Amino acid sequence: MIEACICTIGDEILIGQIVDSNSAQISKELNSIGVKINTIISIGDEYNQIVSTLQELVQKFQIVIVTGGLGPTKDDITKKALAELTGASGYIFSIEQYKYIEEIFTRRRIPVSDLNRDQAMVPDSCNVIPNKKGTAPGMVFSIKSNKKSLLFSLPGVPYEMENLLPSVEEIISSEFNLESISHKTIATYGIPESTLAEFLNDWEDNLPKDIKLAYLPNPAIGIRLRLSVYNGNSEESRKRVKLYAQELKSLLTEELYYGEDFDTLESVVSKKLRENGYQISVAESCTGGRISSLITSIPGSSQVYNGGIVSYSNHVKVSSLNVKEETIKNHGAVSKQCAQEMAEGAKKIFNSDFAIATTGIAGPTGGTEEKPVGTIWIAVAGPSRTYSMEARFFGDRERNIIRFSSEALNFTRKIIQKELKANTLTSKQYNR
Amino acid sequence: MIEACICTIGDEILIGQIVDSNSAQISKELNSIGVKINTIISIGDEYNQIVSTLQELVQKFQIVIVTGGLGPTKDDITKKALAELTGASGYIFSIEQYKYIEEIFTRRRIPVSDLNRDQAMVPDSCNVIPNKKGTAPGMVFSIKSNKKSLLFSLPGVPYEMENLLPSVEEIISSEFNLESISHKTIATYGIPESTLAEFLNDWEDNLPKDIKLAYLPNPAIGIRLRLSVYNGNSEESRKRVKLYAQELKSLLTEELYYGEDFDTLESVVSKKLRENGYQISVAESCTGGRISSLITSIPGSSQVYNGGIVSYSNHVKVSSLNVKEETIKNHGAVSKQCAQEMAEGAKKIFNSDFAIATTGIAGPTGGTEEKPVGTIWIAVAGPSRTYSMEARFFGDRERNIIRFSSEALNFTRKIIQKELKANTLTSKQYNR
């Protein structure tokens, strides 16, 4: 199994000013073509540390992917380090990359600066991987050591880096003969990790030795269960992983699992609505627009989502969603009654088949004895009736808003399923 | 200068299923107390790799922070590796940690499982750092090597890890005598990195050798400029960094810079509104709720934000925001006129001082010859008049929505400044 190392360069990572999302992206992609990431390492913009670290890595690994340190500005010294490391005799001007640099600046209606022109200069020891989306070219160096190894250098801007990955994969696939790695992930929501682990204990114990089960908790997505088979025949291991994934699903039932691989609650809700020709609207208080934002992040959401209201103040709940003033006076804004009237108001105003409503206390202030910070009421108005639930979380403001939104989307997912079972509904898709 | 290494453990990182946000958080915190992070490394859930990697790290660094691999489930083997590495003679039961485990389960109204009880078992070679927010305790081991070094083991769940950091910092500060690191960051928006770099070129060349300037581009936040001084007298270097930050600001002017350190466009807009007693509302089409979500992510936003409408369909633009049908027929939904009517509609409906409106094409579909994907019209209705602007971006759907929202918030920031200069406005804060 070919193993790779990812090395991200930049002080901004070491002082925590940015999160290194590139490594996850690269790992995901390389994994899918059968390259196992052994180590991810982040170092600073120090010339000597870069050279010595990379020297070590190209001895240890057949594939080394370097990102960052290629920008036009003074804090970027990676290119110099790579030239030394790979014994370049000088720099050459990449006409192809310069063409893209010019295009970008023409589009932005500004002249190409000297700094950007210099970005087309590369060590003569590399082959250029042209960067159509940005100014810094990708580079690949083949290192002469005990065994063949390739060092790739990619820009640190995620969007540009991602656009170079396909070329990187192409080069790797042609240079090495790769074994397979098969993963299958089942997404669950609404059950604590330990409870899930005990529930699956016996099943996990009986898994074949070469199949690995991993638990990946995430406040927005829930707990994803990942089944992995490393090496072995690709076709066969893919089949086997699929098989065990099926077993897992039937154990969990639709109550607990909602999707596969990179599905999210919003992508699943969106898919269910689209497949059945339904539209949804949203009335949000404590989630402040996050639920609408999640649903509309899915391409083609205009088919399933037509509008939403963020009714942050009580006044707006009454004026824009027709919540009764007495309801708020008698039960408070964070109540079953208010949530239901919000959902019914949105469903009517936007003339949608379903409507989600949230009202709760995200914190840090606003909590009371019987309604502490982290309390939320969720309502979903469906074609046949309105459903509601209460939940309580124990996080800070940011985390509570995330959990509130995911809880609401998961509740919506279940209600849509429930309502779909009613004939009144299923007939509808044929009428559209 | 004491240097530390962060080691995050988990296959999920190496296959790109999760992004390692813990390291950024830890780096930020340790940096603030004068610990320099030299390296961040991520490895998989393999017993031997964990032991050998940590063995190497405790020789190289005086502080090693390990996160991950402490969950209740089978894929977690870090604790065993740490016991071997630190020559534990066995495990002991942490009564204090168990108390917190019990509390958590009582609150969730479920019994403590065996798996969770086991989490209170720790190697007898460590001191426990109790985890009040989760089930896995933090641990600190002092390693007997050539020089004193400490190894910390923290849970991988970000929320739990963050809650243990203060204790970690306390222990580090008491065990080592720390020098200072001073950073000051200036947040800019709306200027390309290379243009900014050329603009600041001479100023940067004249910076003292021990002061470092770094460029941190981010699609949502803009380009942050970070000035750093490592070591030296803390009081003095803090003063010097502040001084140069002041110079930088006056060079950039309020047109380009909007905040400092961890300010965001939404936190700055929110602050400006709160300080002056104004309220804002939002009418979003292409940004789908993201702008409302960003503003309401700031604690206390209910003072400055009362509501928003996500008018995704043209029908809703007309019915909920009173956009004229002719406007959409004559100019299209993505037009200056529509954006302005949306903003004015929201301002009226929510009776706010300002209102932001966005209408554009996020993609992947919906683009035309003269209005390609990435086109947006932004309008801000202010007390004295309505302002609007067009912008064009070249990203995918996700990136366009991010850029659209930040562009709108930055435009709003400038309009609020402009309107504040009019007396009619400034008087208002006294009337409240």
Side-chain angles (χ1 to χ4, degrees):
Chain A
M1 163 84 38
I2 300 285
E3 295 203 333
C5 173
I6 299 169
C7 180
T8 55
I9 297 174
D11 289 341
E12 60 273 25
I13 296 168
L14 297 180
I15 73 161
Q17 200 132 18
I18 70 157
V19 170
D20 169 26
S21 59
N22 282 343
S23 297
Q25 189 62 27
I26 296 167
S27 303
K28 203 187 299 173
E29 295 292 334
L30 291 196
N31 232 258
S32 67
I33 63 165
V35 174
K36 182 178 183 184
I37 306 301
N38 174 287
T39 302
I40 297 170
I41 184 165
S42 303
I43 57 175
D45 294 306
E46 280 172 44
Y47 188 82
N48 297 330
Q49 192 187 12
I50 294 173
V51 173
S52 62
T53 305
L54 292 182
Q55 235 142 18
E56 216 176 285
L57 295 180
V58 290
Q59 293 305 320
K60 268 170 96 172
F61 300 102
Q62 287 191 268
I63 298 171
V64 176
I65 314 268
V66 181
T67 67
L70 293 180
T73 50
K74 288 193 174 0
D75 55 302
D76 296 322
I77 52 181
T78 307
K79 211 191 274 181
K80 243 193 264 84
L82 289 170
E84 175 180 338
L85 178 74
T86 58
S89 57
Y91 287 78
I92 50 173
F93 186 75
S94 165
I95 294 142
E96 186 175 11
Q97 182 59 45
Y98 187 68
K99 202 180 77 240
Y100 295 123
I101 296 175
E102 264 186 325
E103 273 178 24
I104 288 165
F105 279 80
T106 321
R107 216 163 42 192
R108 295 184 184 157
R109 307 184 191 89
I110 42 178
V112 177
S113 70
D114 296 350
L115 279 174
N116 290 109
R117 184 172 292 100
D118 292 348
Q119 292 191 279
M121 296 295 295
V122 297
D124 57 13
S125 50
C126 81
N127 291 318
V128 169
I129 307 173
N131 177 0
K132 300 183 172 64
K133 304 281 179 178
T135 50
M139 296 173 277
V140 54
F141 305 81
S142 48
I143 309 289
K144 292 126 201 67
S145 72
N146 44 347
K147 52 181 157 32
K148 174 178 67 184
S149 65
L150 293 181
L151 186 154
F152 294 86
S153 170
L154 307 176
V157 180
Y159 174 67
E160 299 178 18
M161 183 279 296
E162 282 164 28
N163 279 284
L164 297 185
L165 281 182
S167 321
V168 171
E169 289 166 36
E170 213 175 281
I171 295 167
I172 291 173
S173 309
S174 67
E175 292 285 323
F176 301 96
N177 119 38
L178 303 167
E179 289 180 52
S180 78
I181 304 178
S182 306
H183 300 293
K184 192 80 197 160
T185 306
I186 303 299
T188 75
Y189 191 89
I191 178 169
E193 184 177 3
S194 57
T195 317
L196 188 59
E198 297 213 328
F199 176 67
L200 295 175
N201 189 54
D202 300 345
W203 183 78
E204 188 175 357
D205 286 343
N206 296 323
L207 279 176
K209 287 279 147 291
D210 67 328
I211 295 194
K212 243 180 148 187
L213 175 67
Y215 290 70
L216 314 173
N218 173 302
I221 293 171
I223 294 167
R224 283 173 297 181
L225 297 166
R226 189 190 66 243
L227 288 160
S228 312
V229 182
Y230 284 79
N231 64 55
N233 167 286
S234 71
E235 238 336 292
E236 196 221 338
S237 43
R238 234 193 314 280
K239 277 210 200 88
R240 289 177 61 222
V241 161
K242 274 224 183 82
L243 186 80
Y244 286 99
Q246 272 311 332
E247 270 188 32
L248 198 48
K249 282 193 202 168
S250 49
L251 270 171
L252 294 168
T253 77
E254 287 212 334
E255 173 67 19
L256 291 180
Y257 92 83
Y258 68 83
E260 291 185 352
D261 299 328
F262 295 98
D263 284 343
T264 57
L265 287 161
E266 57 271 22
S267 71
V268 166
V269 164
S270 187
K271 187 155 169 286
K272 270 192 199 304
L273 292 165
R274 191 165 49 255
E275 285 171 351
N276 297 281
Y278 298 116
Q279 286 208 316
I280 196 162
S281 59
V282 185
E284 304 183 69
S285 183
C286 54
T287 50
R290 179 175 165 87
I291 295 175
S292 286
S293 179
L294 288 171
I295 294 173
T296 56
S297 71
I298 309 297
S301 48
S302 54
Q303 287 172 52
V304 300
Y305 175 91
N306 52 4
I309 288 177
V310 182
S311 55
Y312 219 59
S313 70
N314 289 346
H315 172 70
V316 172
K317 290 183 182 68
V318 174
S319 61
S320 303
L321 288 167
N322 309 322
V323 171
K324 296 193 210 72
E325 270 170 356
E326 316 87 79
T327 305
I328 295 177
K329 203 182 307 101
N330 301 338
H331 306 282
V334 179
S335 64
K336 176 186 184 123
Q337 294 78 358
C338 182
Q340 292 198 337
E341 289 181 23
M342 285 170 69
E344 283 155 11
K347 184 168 181 287
K348 191 146 168 291
I349 290 159
F350 294 109
N351 181 33
S352 56
D353 306 293
F354 292 88
I356 313 173
T358 60
T359 176
I361 305 136
T365 58
T368 65
E369 186 59 46
E370 84 281 8
K371 288 177 189 174
V373 167
T375 306
I376 182 172
W377 271 99
I378 300 166
V380 173
S384 74
R385 57 167 280 229
T386 299
Y387 307 77
S388 59
M389 65 169 282
E390 184 186 21
R392 201 166 281 191
F393 299 101
F394 306 94
D396 55 17
R397 179 180 182 83
E398 186 190 356
R399 190 181 168 86
N400 284 336
I401 292 174
I402 292 172
R403 299 294 302 274
F404 286 170
S405 308
S406 298
E407 193 71 28
L409 284 167
N410 190 50
F411 187 56
T412 307
R413 170 185 74 88
K414 293 183 184 173
I415 299 305
I416 294 172
Q417 262 161 352
K418 196 176 200 148
E419 291 269 335
L420 273 172
K421 298 216 170 86
N423 297 342
T424 51
L425 252 190
T426 40
S427 63
K428 186 164 179 179
Q429 60 192 289
Y430 304 109
N431 305 342
R432 286 212 175 161
Chain B
M1 161 84 39
I2 300 285
E3 295 203 332
C5 174
I6 299 169
C7 180
T8 56
I9 297 174
D11 289 342
E12 61 272 24
I13 296 168
L14 297 181
I15 73 161
Q17 200 133 19
I18 71 159
V19 170
D20 169 28
S21 60
N22 281 345
S23 296
Q25 188 64 26
I26 296 167
S27 304
K28 203 187 302 174
E29 295 292 334
L30 291 196
N31 232 258
S32 68
I33 62 165
V35 174
K36 182 178 182 183
I37 307 300
N38 175 287
T39 303
I40 298 169
I41 185 166
S42 303
I43 56 176
D45 294 305
E46 280 171 43
Y47 187 83
N48 296 330
Q49 192 187 13
I50 294 174
V51 174
S52 63
T53 305
L54 292 182
Q55 235 141 18
E56 214 176 288
L57 296 179
V58 290
Q59 294 305 320
K60 265 169 97 173
F61 300 101
Q62 287 191 269
I63 298 170
V64 177
I65 313 267
V66 180
T67 66
L70 293 180
T73 50
K74 288 190 172 6
D75 55 303
D76 296 322
I77 52 183
T78 307
K79 211 191 276 180
K80 245 195 262 84
L82 289 170
E84 175 181 337
L85 177 74
T86 58
S89 57
Y91 287 78
I92 51 173
F93 186 75
S94 165
I95 294 144
E96 186 174 11
Q97 183 59 45
Y98 186 67
K99 202 179 80 242
Y100 295 122
I101 296 174
E102 262 186 327
E103 273 178 22
I104 288 165
F105 280 80
T106 320
R107 219 162 39 192
R108 295 185 185 155
R109 309 185 190 92
I110 43 179
V112 177
S113 71
D114 295 350
L115 278 174
N116 290 109
R117 183 173 291 100
D118 292 349
Q119 293 191 279
M121 296 295 294
V122 298
D124 58 12
S125 50
C126 82
N127 291 318
V128 168
I129 307 173
N131 178 359
K132 300 182 170 65
K133 304 281 180 178
T135 51
M139 296 173 278
V140 53
F141 305 82
S142 47
I143 309 289
K144 291 128 202 67
S145 72
N146 44 347
K147 52 181 158 28
K148 172 177 67 180
S149 65
L150 293 180
L151 186 154
F152 294 87
S153 170
L154 308 176
V157 180
Y159 174 67
E160 299 178 17
M161 183 279 294
E162 283 164 27
N163 279 286
L164 297 185
L165 280 183
S167 321
V168 171
E169 289 167 36
E170 210 175 285
I171 295 166
I172 291 174
S173 309
S174 67
E175 292 285 322
F176 300 96
N177 122 39
L178 303 168
E179 289 180 53
S180 78
I181 305 179
S182 305
H183 300 293
K184 192 80 198 161
T185 306
I186 304 298
T188 74
Y189 191 89
I191 178 169
E193 184 177 5
S194 57
T195 317
L196 188 58
E198 297 214 329
F199 176 65
L200 295 175
N201 189 52
D202 300 346
W203 182 78
E204 188 175 357
D205 286 344
N206 295 323
L207 280 176
K209 287 278 147 293
D210 67 329
I211 294 194
K212 246 180 147 187
L213 176 67
Y215 290 70
L216 314 173
N218 173 301
I221 293 172
I223 293 166
R224 283 173 296 181
L225 297 166
R226 189 189 66 240
L227 288 160
S228 311
V229 182
Y230 284 79
N231 63 54
N233 167 285
S234 70
E235 238 338 289
E236 196 221 336
S237 43
R238 234 194 312 281
K239 277 210 200 86
R240 288 178 62 222
V241 161
K242 273 224 184 82
L243 186 79
Y244 286 99
Q246 271 311 331
E247 271 189 30
L248 198 47
K249 283 194 201 168
S250 47
L251 272 171
L252 293 167
T253 78
E254 288 211 334
E255 173 68 17
L256 291 180
Y257 92 82
Y258 68 82
E260 291 185 353
D261 299 329
F262 295 98
D263 284 343
T264 57
L265 287 160
E266 58 271 22
S267 71
V268 167
V269 164
S270 189
K271 188 156 168 286
K272 270 190 200 304
L273 292 166
R274 191 163 51 253
E275 285 172 349
N276 296 281
Y278 298 116
Q279 286 207 317
I280 196 162
S281 59
V282 185
E284 304 183 69
S285 183
C286 53
T287 50
R290 179 175 164 87
I291 296 175
S292 286
S293 179
L294 289 170
I295 294 174
T296 57
S297 70
I298 309 297
S301 47
S302 54
Q303 288 172 52
V304 300
Y305 175 92
N306 53 4
I309 288 178
V310 182
S311 56
Y312 218 58
S313 70
N314 289 345
H315 172 70
V316 171
K317 290 182 182 71
V318 173
S319 63
S320 303
L321 288 167
N322 309 321
V323 171
K324 295 193 211 72
E325 270 169 358
E326 315 87 79
T327 304
I328 295 176
K329 202 181 307 105
N330 302 338
H331 307 282
V334 179
S335 64
K336 175 186 183 123
Q337 294 78 358
C338 182
Q340 292 198 336
E341 289 181 21
M342 286 170 69
E344 284 154 12
K347 183 169 182 284
K348 190 146 171 288
I349 289 159
F350 295 110
N351 180 34
S352 56
D353 307 293
F354 292 88
I356 313 173
T358 60
T359 176
I361 305 137
T365 59
T368 65
E369 186 61 44
E370 84 282 8
K371 288 176 189 173
V373 166
T375 306
I376 182 172
W377 271 98
I378 300 167
V380 174
S384 74
R385 55 166 283 225
T386 301
Y387 307 77
S388 58
M389 66 170 282
E390 182 186 20
R392 201 165 280 191
F393 299 102
F394 306 94
D396 55 16
R397 180 180 182 82
E398 185 190 358
R399 188 181 169 85
N400 284 336
I401 291 173
I402 292 172
R403 297 295 302 276
F404 286 169
S405 307
S406 298
E407 193 71 28
L409 285 167
N410 190 50
F411 187 56
T412 306
R413 170 186 74 87
K414 292 184 186 174
I415 298 306
I416 294 172
Q417 261 159 353
K418 194 174 201 153
E419 290 269 336
L420 274 172
K421 298 213 170 89
N423 296 342
T424 52
L425 252 188
T426 40
S427 63
K428 185 164 181 184
Q429 60 190 289
Y430 303 110
N431 306 341
R432 287 215 173 159

